[in-house]
């Protein structure tokens, strides 16, 4: 039984060591401060911590954080101490002057006296010697005096003895020949300490003060070439033997070794390995060396069979299951997951399809024919199947017991359906104009047939072909899962679901690799595995079905790549290019060999909800700042990175993180992050909410984190300042408006004054023009009035002259006309003086004086001939010495009009002209014996001079001459008196004040 177990163990080793792994190095070229990796530990939160001779680092699966800004005397470290489960990791630098305490993902610096170090004993005094804690072993780890502390006691060892001291103080020497170099043979499982006795090829087990031989059939422990690596902080033990790394475990009282990986030739110098950590959860090995840095090895989940490098045609396509755990391909080569097992040399290059018939014979097409590899001859012999003379075979399929043969005759393409693999019982033949790319059975009577860009449903019973209404697609293949869902694979348009006569396109992955899917298979857990030209994808089928229903379900594919164990990311597609073996393994062909995997054991890595931390940020050019729930940024920041710390050690493409930054005015909008950081740029002052969500399961479940981002406002950015500024601004505007209004009001007032002034000037001008008009009118009326009587008289004389033949009368008339004309001529010579009558600028007084008598005499001569015709005598009784300096033209016009009225109204009487001088006043009177004036006229004309402003300005109308006289007297401040002349007639007296 033990030999059988050993054989099985060796078989498992060869299986594991046949895998291809991917690895990445971290050294001084890409982030390490120094290449000597002294210790590696995984903390309670899932982060990897690495100490070196040049600093301490934290690794999250993507980024290395170098804590280079710690205030330490030196950055040289050796071992991690403490307890991972209690989240209490301690690390001291060289000289033990300073200690780092890692707790809650943060580092605290302290010294030896800190109470935080009480739970950890690094050094102790025993029997007057200083002993150093011994928690790991490798080729380089030895101490002069060391101790290993267990729960019930402590083992002390030096170069000679091992002493066990119980916690009670009782001591016992362990009977073992122990030397210093034997320290590397210690390893521990929990409270059991083991010692590998290489010389005697045995394993000793320490149980408190007792020691016994531990029986183990595992030869690796006693192989002298094996090296034991005990990492007490990680509770892990490793064995390295001939380039292979095993993890050692104690299970059910037995020591068990499980192979992890085989190091590549010349990849690592095993003698330089100093620290090891196997992250079982993520199937990742961390190898710390003293010279090359840190090597992170992803232990593969997928297996590609090893083949001879000289083997041709390693590009793989179609295949068939062959036995329990093998496949056979179109070349006749049989592979298991480890290697090429057998080659039947089918000698065919048509990789499109292979089909089993009912007798397990293998059918395939070659050179237009169907060949059959015979099972009863162990596939070493073959024959051909008759398909007719004019038919050229293109491919053969098998689906639900039907055999579907693709043929062509040079004109059309045919799909022939048979009931058996001998291709003798033809159920139906259907012709198509384009080449057939896929065909699947969909129910008892119908098949779905794809021809390049068209799709049809054919009926066996009705022998009909019904074209389906599909988008413009280039069809590649059709897959029906066990639950009847029909998936259409296309070239360039991705994956479609065909259901209820409707085609629904599935979303692409984020990089668009699934625009060209190659094949598809569903596992027993409901996941679809989709091969592509760049990776293998996995997604729950229900997610795609839900998306087909509502078109809103978030679709996130999980992608596997070379990191997971492929030789290449490009897979191929053909009929039977995705196969399930009897042992449950899936096999898919690639451009470099076949890939074997158990879909139920292939892990999909998703972050744990409790291990998502948003607590670290950094402004551009600054150091990290840590926060709890609120991130306070400086007002003048340009850019800040908010880090989403997640210990995620798989392909970063499968880490799905979305973020949404919002404030009260902006609705949430999710955006996917490419890396584990969210970059904030140029936020105005305010309070913001940053929501982070991380996909934590394949069924679309998210874990959420929320932080507040506060950007303080400077005084001029605060609300009160804005209000004050607004008020001030409004006040300035109002002040400007007020001042402007005032200026405009002032200008308006000035303009009004100017307008009023101009209006006054205009009115004055208008009045002047009106006065001028009145002046011209009055002047004309006055002249017309004053010459009317003399001209009328001349007209009368002329008429009389023309009517008489008496020479004496004619002579008399001629003399009268002559004298009157002469006087009229003299009068007209002085008409220019009339312009002064109505001119406001004319002088009232003149420089020289004149005699009143002469003025009266001149008027007498003018009217004398006229009055004589009425038998009226004009008498001038004025004294000859009375002088006036009042404007002569005005006085002449006054006397002319008064005398004219007297002449007109006196017949057969006399008119007496007289003047008197009373001091500075002169009285000139004209008395006639005419008809006289009534009392009413006396009163009117006497009142007229005192009420002249209320009378019309025009002189036209009744009593033009008297009105003119009164106007002129008013102008020279004179007076006029009308009264009866005794015994009859009228006496008019004007009173004029002479200038002194």
């Amino acid at each position: 039984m033990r030999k059988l177990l050993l054989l099985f163990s060796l078989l498992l080793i060869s299986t594991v060591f046949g895998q291809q792994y991917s690895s990445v190095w971290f050294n001084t070229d890409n982030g390490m401060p120094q290449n000597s990796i002294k210790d590696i530990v995984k903390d309670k939160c899932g982060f990897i911590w690495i100490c070196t001779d040049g600093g301490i680092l934290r690794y999250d699966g993507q980024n290395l954080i170098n804590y280079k800004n710690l205030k330490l005397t030196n950055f040289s470290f050796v071992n991690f101490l403490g307890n991972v489960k209690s989240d209490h990791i301690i690390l001291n630098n060289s000289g033990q002057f300073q200690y780092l305490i890692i707790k809650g993902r943060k580092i605290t610096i302290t010294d030896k006296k800190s109470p935080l170090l009480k739970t950890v004993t690094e050094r102790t005094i025993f029997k007057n010697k200083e002993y150093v804690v011994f928690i790991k072993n490798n080729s380089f780890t030895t101490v002069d005096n060391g101790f290993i502390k267990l729960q019930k006691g402590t083992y002390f060892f030096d170069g000679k003895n091992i002493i066990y001291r119980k916690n009670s103080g009782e001591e016992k020497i362990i009977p073992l020949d122990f030397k210093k170099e034997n320290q590397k043979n210690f390893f521990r499982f929990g409270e059991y300490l083991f010692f590998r006795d290489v010389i005697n090829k045995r394993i000793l087990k320490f149980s408190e003060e007792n020691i016994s031989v531990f029986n183990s059939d595992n030869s690796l422990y006693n192989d002298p070439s094996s090296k034991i690596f005990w990492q007490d902080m990680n509770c892990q033990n490793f064995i390295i033997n001939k380039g292979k790394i095993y993890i050692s475990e104690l299970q059910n009282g037995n020591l068990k070794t499980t192979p992890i990986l085989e190091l590549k030739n010349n990849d690592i110098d095993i003698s330089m390995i100093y620290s090891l950590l196997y992250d079982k959860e993520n199937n990742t090995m961390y190898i710390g060396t003293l010279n090359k840095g840190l090597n992170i090895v992803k232990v593969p989940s997928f297996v590609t069979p090893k083949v001879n490098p000289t083997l041709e045609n390693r590009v793989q396509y179609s295949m068939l299951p062959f036995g329990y755990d093998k496949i056979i391909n179109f070349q006749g080569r049989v592979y298991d997951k480890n290697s090429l097992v057998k080659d039947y040399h089918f000698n065919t290059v048509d990789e499109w399809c292979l089909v089993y018939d009912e007798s397990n014979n293998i059918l395939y097409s070659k050179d237009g024919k169907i060949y059959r590899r015979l099972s009863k001859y162990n596939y070493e012999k073959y024959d051909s199947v008759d398909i007719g003379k004019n038919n050229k075979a293109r491919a053969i399929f098998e689906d639900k017991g039907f055999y579907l043969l693709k043929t062509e005759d040079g004109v059309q393409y045919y799909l022939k359906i048979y009931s058996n693999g001998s291709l003798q019982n033809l159920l139906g033949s259907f012709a198509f104009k384009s080449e057939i790319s896929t065909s699947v059975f969909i129910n008892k009577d119908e098949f779905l047939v794809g021809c390049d860009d068209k799709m049809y449903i054919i009926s066996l019973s009705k022998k009909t072909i019904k074209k389906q209404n599909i988008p413009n697609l280039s069809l590649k293949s059709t897959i029906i899962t066990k639950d009847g869902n029909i998936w259409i694979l296309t070239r360039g348009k991705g994956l479609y679901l065909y259901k209820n006569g409707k085609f629904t396109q599935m979303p692409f992955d984020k990089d668009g690799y699934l625009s060209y899917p190659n094949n598809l298979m569903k596992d027993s857990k409901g996941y679809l595995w989709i091969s592509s030209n760049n990776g293998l994808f996995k997604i729950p089928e229900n997610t795609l079905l839900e998306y087909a229903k509502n078109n809103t379900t978030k679709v996130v594919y999980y992608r596997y790549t070379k990191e997971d164990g492929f030789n290449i990311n490009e897979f191929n597609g053909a009929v039977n290019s995705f196969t399930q073996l009897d042992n449950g393994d899936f096999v898919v062909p690639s451009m470099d060999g076949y890939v074997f995997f158990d879909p139920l054991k292939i892990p999909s890595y998703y972050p744990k909800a409790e291990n998502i931390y948003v607590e670290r940020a950094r402004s551009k050019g600054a150091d990290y700042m840590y926060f709890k729930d609120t991130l306070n940024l400086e007002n003048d920041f340009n850019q800040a990175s908010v880090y989403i710390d997640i210990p995620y050690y798989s392909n970063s493409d499968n880490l799905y993180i979305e973020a949404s930054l919002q404030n009260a005015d902006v609705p949430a909008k999710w955006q996917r992050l490419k890396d584990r950081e969210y970059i904030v740029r140029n936020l105005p002052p305010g309070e913001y909410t940053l929501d982070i969500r991380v996909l934590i399961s394949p069924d679309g479940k998210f874990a959420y984190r929320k932080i507040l981002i506060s950007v303080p406002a400077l005084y001029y950015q605060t609300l009160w300042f804005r209000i004050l500024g607004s008020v001030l601004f409004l006040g300035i505007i109002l002040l400007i408006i007020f001042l402007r209004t005032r200026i405009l009001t002032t200008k308006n007032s000035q303009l009004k004054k100017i307008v009023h002034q101009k209006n006054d000037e205009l009115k004055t001008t208008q009045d002047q023009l009106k006065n001028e008009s009145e002046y011209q009118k009055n002047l004309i009326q006055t002249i017309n009035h004053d010459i009317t009587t003399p001209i009328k008289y001349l007209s009368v004389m002329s008429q009389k002259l023309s009517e008489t033949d008496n020479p004496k009368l004619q002579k008399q008339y001629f003399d009268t006309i002559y004298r009157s004309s002469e006087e009229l001529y003299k009068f007209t010579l002085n008409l220019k003086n009339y312009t002064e009558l109505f001119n406001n600028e004319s002088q009232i007084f003149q420089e020289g004086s004149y005699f009143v008598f002469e003025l009266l005499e001149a008027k007498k001569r003018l009217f004398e001939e006229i009055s004589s015709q009425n038998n009226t005598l004009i008498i001038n009784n004025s004294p000859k010495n009375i002088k006036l300096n009042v404007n002569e033209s005005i006085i002449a016009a006054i006397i002319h009009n008064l005398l004219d009225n007297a002449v007109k109204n006196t017949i057969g009487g006399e008119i007496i002209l007289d003047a008197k001088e009373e001091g500075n006043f002169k009285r000139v009177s004209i008395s006639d014996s005419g008809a006289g004036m009534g009392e009413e006229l006396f009163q009117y004309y006497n009142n007229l001079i005192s009420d002249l402003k209320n009378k019309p300005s025009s002189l036209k109308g009744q009593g033009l001459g008297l009105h003119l006289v009164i106007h002129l007297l008013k102008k020279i401040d004179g007076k006029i008196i009308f009264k009866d002349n005794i015994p009859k007639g009228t006496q008019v007296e004007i009173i004029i004040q002479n200038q002194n």
Side-chain angles (χ1 to χ4, degrees):
M1 183 65 182
R2 290 180 178 177
K3 292 182 178 180
L4 182 61
L5 290 174
L6 180 59
L7 178 63
F8 176 76
S9 176
L10 293 175
L11 178 61
L12 180 62
I13 292 170
S14 64
T15 300
V16 174
F17 292 150
Q19 301 179 39
Q20 176 74 23
Y21 67 80
S22 62
S23 70
V24 60
W25 280 94
F26 284 101
N27 49 43
T28 54
D29 295 334
N30 58 356
M32 282 288 178
Q34 203 263 349
N35 284 338
S36 294
I37 309 301
K38 294 301 183 65
D39 206 358
I40 309 169
V41 69
K42 183 178 181 180
D43 69 12
K44 186 178 180 180
C45 301
F47 294 97
I48 305 297
W49 293 85
I50 305 141
C51 70
T52 73
D53 268 340
I56 182 171
L57 304 98
R58 192 184 80 179
Y59 180 62
D60 62 5
Q62 182 183 40
N63 303 303
L64 275 174
I65 301 177
N66 185 0
Y67 292 86
K68 58 185 177 181
N69 294 325
L70 298 175
K71 296 181 179 180
L72 297 173
T73 56
N74 67 77
F75 284 83
S76 180
F77 302 97
V78 179
N79 294 323
F80 288 108
L81 303 171
N83 190 300
V84 171
K85 292 182 179 180
S86 63
D87 193 21
H88 189 73
I89 300 174
I90 297 174
L91 181 67
N92 65 279
N93 60 0
S94 179
Q96 296 86 41
F97 296 111
Q98 292 170 302
Y99 287 80
L100 305 183
I101 298 176
I102 302 172
K103 188 177 182 63
R105 305 164 304 283
K106 298 179 181 65
I107 295 179
T108 303
I109 302 175
T110 185
D111 55 26
K112 291 181 179 181
K113 298 179 180 179
S114 172
L116 297 175
L117 301 179
K118 289 182 178 180
T119 59
V120 176
T121 303
E122 183 191 6
R123 296 173 181 269
T124 187
I125 302 298
F126 179 67
K127 296 187 180 300
N128 299 320
K129 292 182 182 180
E130 185 180 55
Y131 284 76
V132 179
V133 64
F134 189 81
I135 58 171
K136 64 186 294 186
N137 66 346
N138 51 44
S139 301
F140 304 90
T141 307
T142 59
V143 295
D144 292 332
N145 302 299
F147 69 91
I148 300 173
K149 183 175 178 55
L150 302 181
Q151 187 173 3
K152 295 181 179 181
T154 305
Y155 293 95
F156 294 90
F157 55 88
D158 52 21
K160 297 179 181 180
N161 300 308
I162 300 177
I163 301 174
Y164 178 73
R165 184 178 68 177
K166 295 182 179 181
N167 292 339
S168 62
E170 183 181 349
E171 299 176 5
K172 183 179 180 180
I173 297 177
I174 304 298
L176 179 66
D177 185 14
F178 184 79
K179 297 180 181 180
K180 182 178 179 179
E181 57 268 21
N182 290 333
Q183 294 176 16
K184 62 184 179 181
N185 291 318
F186 276 124
F187 59 98
R188 174 186 173 184
F189 290 104
E191 290 300 304
Y192 297 103
L193 183 65
F194 293 85
F195 180 79
R196 186 174 66 132
D197 187 353
V198 179
I199 296 176
N200 298 309
K201 294 183 179 181
R202 60 180 182 171
I203 297 175
L204 301 179
K205 177 183 177 183
F206 293 76
S207 178
E208 297 186 23
E209 71 274 17
N210 300 316
I211 184 172
S212 60
V213 175
F214 186 85
N215 295 320
S216 175
D217 292 330
N218 196 318
S219 62
L220 288 173
Y221 288 95
N222 293 318
D223 188 341
S225 62
S226 294
K227 291 187 176 182
I228 299 290
F229 279 80
W230 165 43
Q231 307 285 130
D232 191 55
M233 272 295 293
N234 300 317
C235 300
Q236 290 182 340
N237 294 277
F238 301 94
I239 294 178
I240 300 180
N241 182 275
K242 299 177 182 178
K244 302 176 180 65
I245 300 180
Y246 306 80
I247 188 165
S248 173
E249 297 173 294
L250 182 65
Q251 294 183 355
N252 300 321
N254 295 315
L255 287 176
K256 178 184 176 183
T257 56
T258 303
I260 298 177
L261 59 90
E262 180 179 9
L263 299 175
K264 299 176 183 178
N265 293 333
N266 301 321
D267 196 13
I268 297 177
D269 182 355
I270 295 177
S271 66
M272 300 303 291
I273 295 176
Y274 194 84
S275 55
L276 292 172
L277 169 66
Y278 176 56
D279 185 358
K280 186 176 181 179
E281 183 181 8
N282 294 286
N283 209 18
T284 303
M285 189 76 195
Y286 294 84
I287 305 173
T289 71
L290 290 176
N291 62 335
K292 293 182 65 176
L294 176 67
N295 186 215
I296 302 176
V297 180
K298 182 70 175 178
V299 179
S301 301
F302 297 85
V303 180
T304 298
K306 285 187 177 181
V307 296
N308 192 320
T310 61
L311 185 69
E312 298 178 352
N313 296 322
R314 297 177 62 180
V315 178
Q316 307 297 348
Y317 289 90
S318 184
M319 59 191 160
L320 289 173
F322 196 77
Y324 178 75
D325 58 357
K326 302 177 184 64
I327 60 165
I328 186 169
N329 70 0
F330 63 93
Q331 299 157 327
R333 295 171 181 168
V334 179
Y335 294 90
D336 63 11
K337 69 192 317 179
N338 299 312
S339 63
L340 173 64
V341 177
K342 185 176 179 60
D343 191 347
Y344 288 101
H345 302 287
F346 284 180
N347 296 321
T348 177
V349 294
D350 189 349
E351 70 280 356
W352 182 248
C353 61
L354 293 173
V355 174
Y356 281 118
D357 67 10
E358 302 91 335
S359 302
N360 279 335
N361 300 313
I362 297 176
L363 305 178
Y364 57 91
S365 63
K366 179 182 178 183
D367 300 330
K369 298 181 180 180
I370 297 298
Y371 289 90
R372 180 167 52 195
R373 283 280 173 170
L374 302 174
S375 173
K376 63 182 178 180
Y377 296 110
N378 200 24
Y379 302 108
E380 294 180 355
K381 292 184 179 183
Y382 64 91
D383 61 10
S384 61
V385 180
D386 183 17
I387 59 173
K389 293 183 180 180
N390 296 324
N391 292 320
K392 183 179 180 181
R394 301 280 295 179
I396 187 168
F397 311 90
E398 186 276 330
D399 193 13
K400 304 296 187 299
F402 294 94
Y403 290 83
L404 299 90
L405 178 66
K406 285 179 18 180
T407 66
E408 63 168 313
D409 60 5
V411 178
Q412 295 187 100
Y413 296 89
Y414 299 90
L415 179 66
K416 298 178 182 292
I417 302 175
Y418 298 89
S419 63
N420 54 47
S422 62
L423 307 183
Q424 299 302 312
N425 185 21
L426 180 63
L427 300 178
S429 179
F430 301 87
F432 300 91
K433 294 182 180 180
S434 57
E435 185 173 2
I436 302 166
S437 59
T438 180
S439 177
V440 293
F441 174 81
I442 56 176
N443 58 46
K444 62 180 180 180
D445 183 53
E446 294 179 331
F447 290 81
L448 186 64
V449 180
C451 299
D452 289 341
D453 60 347
K454 296 178 179 61
M455 186 159 280
Y456 306 89
I457 291 180
I458 62 175
S459 172
L460 280 177
S461 60
K462 298 178 182 179
K463 299 297 188 290
T464 57
I465 302 176
K466 184 179 180 182
K467 185 178 179 181
Q468 300 299 296
N469 184 21
I470 67 171
N472 184 20
L473 303 175
S474 177
L475 301 176
K476 190 172 185 180
S477 62
T478 304
I479 308 294
I480 300 182
T481 56
K482 291 181 180 180
D483 47 9
N485 294 314
I486 301 174
W487 299 97
I488 310 297
L489 283 69
T490 71
R491 297 178 180 90
K493 295 295 182 67
L495 183 67
Y496 280 77
L497 174 68
Y498 178 70
K499 196 165 189 176
N500 299 326
K502 179 183 176 182
F503 290 85
T504 304
Q505 186 181 20
M506 297 296 109
F508 293 168
D509 61 294
K510 72 180 184 66
D511 296 310
Y513 298 140
L514 281 177
S515 60
Y516 284 87
N518 287 325
N519 216 318
L520 174 149
M521 184 170 282
K522 182 179 178 181
D523 66 23
S524 60
K525 289 187 177 181
Y527 289 92
L528 294 181
W529 295 79
I530 309 168
S531 62
S532 75
N533 289 339
N534 199 331
L536 179 65
F537 292 85
K538 175 184 175 183
I539 190 168
E541 185 181 38
N542 285 337
T543 299
L544 297 183
L545 295 177
E546 286 297 319
Y547 177 85
K549 291 179 182 178
N550 55 38
N551 204 34
T552 58
T553 299
K554 186 174 289 293
V555 176
V556 181
Y557 300 92
Y558 193 93
R559 179 172 176 250
Y560 297 93
T561 64
K562 288 173 59 178
E563 291 183 17
D564 301 287
F566 314 150
N567 289 338
I568 194 168
N569 282 336
E570 184 175 356
F571 292 88
N572 285 324
V575 179
N576 305 116
S577 63
F578 215 140
T579 301
Q580 184 173 13
L581 304 181
D582 290 342
N583 67 353
D585 283 355
F586 283 3
V587 186
V588 59
S590 76
M591 295 293 285
D592 189 6
Y594 292 101
V595 177
F596 286 71
F597 64 97
D598 184 346
L600 305 183
K601 295 180 179 179
I602 296 296
S604 298
Y605 297 102
Y606 292 92
K608 295 180 180 179
E610 64 271 18
N611 286 346
I612 300 172
Y613 308 98
V614 184
E615 59 188 7
R616 188 169 58 95
R618 180 166 63 178
S619 294
K620 190 174 182 180
D623 198 5
Y624 293 111
M625 49 185 168
Y626 291 86
F627 59 92
K628 186 176 181 181
D629 297 314
T630 301
L631 172 61
N632 296 303
L633 296 175
E634 297 292 334
N635 176 272
D636 59 349
F637 89 99
N638 293 322
Q639 177 177 309
S641 294
V642 179
Y643 296 96
I644 299 94
D645 290 327
I646 304 173
Y648 186 77
Y649 303 98
S650 185
N651 188 341
S652 293
D653 289 343
N654 296 320
L655 182 60
Y656 192 92
I657 306 174
E658 288 185 326
S660 171
L661 181 67
Q662 58 182 316
N663 56 25
D665 302 324
V666 181
K669 184 178 180 180
W670 292 102
Q671 66 178 84
R672 184 172 181 180
L673 304 184
K674 293 182 179 180
D675 298 310
R676 304 178 200 185
E677 67 175 307
Y678 180 82
I679 298 177
V680 183
R681 294 185 176 91
N682 299 321
L683 287 180
E687 300 293 329
Y688 300 86
T689 301
L690 177 61
D691 289 308
I692 304 291
R693 67 180 183 183
V694 182
L695 185 68
I696 59 173
S697 71
D699 57 3
K701 185 178 179 182
F702 284 88
Y704 291 81
R705 296 292 184 271
K706 183 191 295 289
I707 67 168
L708 300 178
I709 298 179
S710 177
V711 181
L714 299 178
Y715 72 92
Y716 56 83
Q717 295 173 318
T718 57
L719 179 60
W720 65 266
F721 184 85
R722 291 179 181 177
I723 295 174
L724 181 61
S726 299
V727 171
L728 182 61
F729 178 75
L730 183 61
I732 292 174
I733 295 297
L734 293 176
L735 179 61
I736 292 174
I737 294 173
F738 172 76
L739 294 177
R740 181 63 178 166
T741 303
R742 188 170 182 178
I743 291 172
L744 291 176
T745 302
T746 303
K747 288 186 177 181
N748 188 42
S749 300
Q750 293 175 349
L751 288 175
K752 283 184 178 180
K753 289 181 180 180
I754 294 173
V755 170
H756 286 315
Q757 182 180 354
K758 295 298 180 182
N759 284 338
D760 292 341
E761 292 178 357
L762 182 61
K763 187 174 181 181
T764 302
T765 303
Q766 185 179 4
D767 292 341
Q768 289 177 349
L769 290 174
K770 183 178 180 183
N771 293 336
E772 184 70 22
S773 176
E774 290 291 331
Y775 163 75
Q776 293 175 357
K777 183 171 67 173
N778 293 337
L779 178 62
I780 293 172
Q781 289 177 355
T782 301
I783 294 173
N784 180 59
H785 177 270
D786 287 356
I787 67 174
T788 296
T789 300
I791 292 175
K792 182 179 181 181
Y793 172 72
L794 290 176
S795 175
V796 171
M797 289 297 102
S798 297
Q799 183 178 2
K800 286 182 178 183
L801 179 62
S802 64
E803 291 176 352
T804 184
D805 293 329
N806 188 335
K808 289 183 179 181
L809 288 175
Q810 287 180 345
K811 182 177 182 303
Q812 181 182 353
Y813 288 152
F814 272 121
D815 290 340
T816 302
I817 290 172
Y818 170 74
R819 289 194 296 273
S820 296
S821 297
E822 184 178 10
E823 292 300 324
L824 182 60
Y825 171 71
K826 292 179 182 178
F827 176 72
T828 57
L829 290 177
N830 294 322
L831 282 179
K832 65 181 181 63
N833 295 328
Y834 270 68
T835 59
E836 298 180 1
L837 298 180
F838 304 102
N839 190 347
N840 292 330
E841 296 180 358
S842 60
Q843 299 293 324
I844 296 177
F845 300 97
Q846 61 185 40
E847 293 182 1
S849 61
Y850 56 89
F851 289 104
V852 176
F853 175 81
E854 292 179 357
L855 179 59
L856 292 175
E857 191 63 26
K859 294 301 177 181
K860 173 187 173 183
R861 289 194 295 270
L862 178 60
F863 287 98
E864 193 170 30
E865 292 296 330
I866 298 172
S867 64
S868 65
Q869 294 299 318
N870 293 330
N871 297 318
T872 299
L873 179 65
I874 301 175
I875 302 170
N876 184 3
N877 292 332
S878 172
K880 296 181 179 180
N881 60 343
I882 299 175
K883 290 184 177 181
L884 284 174
N885 57 7
V886 178
N887 192 311
E888 185 177 1
S889 298
I890 295 174
I891 298 301
I894 292 172
I895 293 173
H896 182 100
N897 279 276
L898 291 175
L899 185 57
D900 181 50
N901 284 335
V903 171
K904 290 178 182 177
N905 293 288
T906 304
I907 300 174
E910 62 180 10
I911 298 172
I912 299 173
L913 306 176
D914 198 3
K916 293 180 181 180
E917 186 173 14
E918 294 178 357
N920 200 32
F921 290 95
K922 314 297 182 193
R923 290 178 178 268
V924 178
S925 63
I926 299 175
S927 304
D928 65 65
S929 58
M933 298 172 63
E935 185 63 29
E936 183 178 352
L937 287 178
F938 276 128
Q939 186 175 359
Y940 172 77
Y941 285 115
N942 283 328
N943 295 331
L944 183 62
I945 194 167
S946 60
D947 197 23
L948 186 61
K949 292 182 179 180
N950 297 325
K951 301 301 178 182
S953 61
S954 175
L955 300 178
K956 186 177 180 180
Q958 183 180 4
L960 174 63
L962 291 177
H963 279 85
L964 175 62
V965 168
I966 293 171
H967 272 281
L968 293 177
L969 284 171
K970 188 72 175 178
K971 184 175 182 179
I972 62 174
D973 290 331
K975 295 181 180 180
I976 187 169
I977 299 173
F978 293 90
K979 58 184 176 180
D980 290 330
N981 189 25
I982 302 301
K984 69 172 183 176
T986 303
Q987 180 181 1
V988 180
E989 185 179 60
I990 59 174
I991 303 171
I992 305 166
Q993 183 178 6
N994 204 23
Q995 186 181 25
N996 293 330

